[in-house]
Amino acid sequence: MLTLLKLLKDGRFHSGQALGAALGVSRSAVWKQLQQLEAELGLSIHKVRGRGYQLAAPLTLLDPVEIRRMAGACDWPVLVFDSTDSTNAEALRMIEQRQDAPFVVLAERQTAGRGRRGRKWVSPFAENLYYSLVLRIEGGMRQLEGLSLVVGLAVMQALQQIGVPGVGLKWPNDVLVGRKKIAGILLELVGDPADVCHVVLGIGINVNMRMTSEVDQQWTSMRLEAGQAFDRNQLAAELGVMLQKYLERHQVDGFSAIQAEWERNHLWQGRAVSLIAGVNQIDGEVLGIDSQGALRLKVDGVEKVFSGGELSLRLRNDS
Ligand code: ATP
Ligand code: BTN
């Protein structure tokens, strides 16, 4: 089915006969595959008598060679899947099979994209970026401190660099435009964090998505914010460059070297918030983060520090 899509991706007309010949199947088999493309991938295909079939809009698919070419000095191997359950899950399986890190796993779509706390990440075909970078970490905890915040900053910088206005951060690792989520980050770790471990930096960026009924919170995409479509290969390359830059700074100088820059980009600095931890709620005012990336809140006039993957921040109504 995807071979057929690759023949159509130029957005031009292709006759049923030519498509059948290229695939070595009958015209009716081509017709069936076209219907499958529409049903499974949500693509729209025009059929015009005498001319053939045409994708409603040309499609640029992910291309590892293009990404490597545009990423310059960032030479991480890039693997692209047409479809996978989750690029993070795929990366974890590759670690188990002893694939050398660093490497990047991308997919055109995820059938079980995962968000934090077992939530689902909506991942339609060829519209967004689903990106997992695997790093091998030696020498323990210091290199893990604030890591997800560093990734958030790199994602934000990549989006700004490529021309998306108004992007900022929300502790611990959401990337927002205003109140709308444009990207999410999920770190997964295997091995011994105090010794040698592998960490998967999973990043989902809404690139060209314009519609979905599946996301149950406020969201946006690069295209909706900038009013133009973006090349996902260029974004993947830019993201690689930014991740490499920020991860290197983090590795050499530690999170404290990045703390001030992160705070400058925190959209909720000084705001009245509620911190949700399971059934518990703590109300306070955001003071910032500490040198390890933990959240500093003023609660009843006293500074308190919070960290941990299960925490969620919400703006208070009176904020
Ligand atoms: P937090 O709990 O930190 O406040 P959050 O409400 O964004 O953040 P997360 O667990 O970080 O929750 O993210 C998962 C949520 O993201 C899902 O519950 C869903 O509402 C939303 N989501 C899923 N897919 C997308 C997408 N492609 N774009 C934006 N949001 C999405
Ligand atoms: C969140 O905000 O809850 C985190 C979302 C993380 C989504 C990305 S998409 C690439 C990688 N693979 C996954 O299954 N999840 C992450």
Side-chain angles (χ1 to χ4, degrees), residues 86-88 110 113-116 121 131-132 181 184-185 202-204:
S86 142
T87 53
N88 270 26
Q110 302 185 115
R114 46 206 205 203
R116 299 201 309 144
W121 188 255
Y131 182 110
S132 296
K181 186 150 159 167
I185 294 159
I203 300 165

Side-chain angles (χ1 to χ4, degrees), residues 84-90 105-107 110 112-123 129-133 173-175 181 183-188 200-205 217:
T84 182
D85 51 352
S86 142
T87 53
N88 270 26
E90 196 69 64
V105 180
L106 304 179
Q110 302 185 115
R114 46 206 205 203
R116 299 201 309 144
R117 281 162 289 150
R119 288 166 171 174
K120 176 182 163 181
W121 188 255
V122 174
S123 309
L129 192 66
Y130 318 115
Y131 182 110
S132 296
L133 166 65
N173 52 11
D174 281 348
V175 184
K181 186 150 159 167
I185 294 159
L186 176 69
L187 264 55
E188 298 190 64
V200 180
L201 311 178
I203 300 165
I205 304 179
Q217 66 167 348

Side-chain angles (χ1 to χ4, degrees), residues 174-196:
D174 281 348
V175 184
L176 308 178
V177 177
R179 290 198 179 197
K180 298 178 186 164
K181 186 150 159 167
I182 193 166
I185 294 159
L186 176 69
L187 264 55
E188 298 190 64
L189 191 142
V190 277
D192 179 358
D195 186 17
V196 177

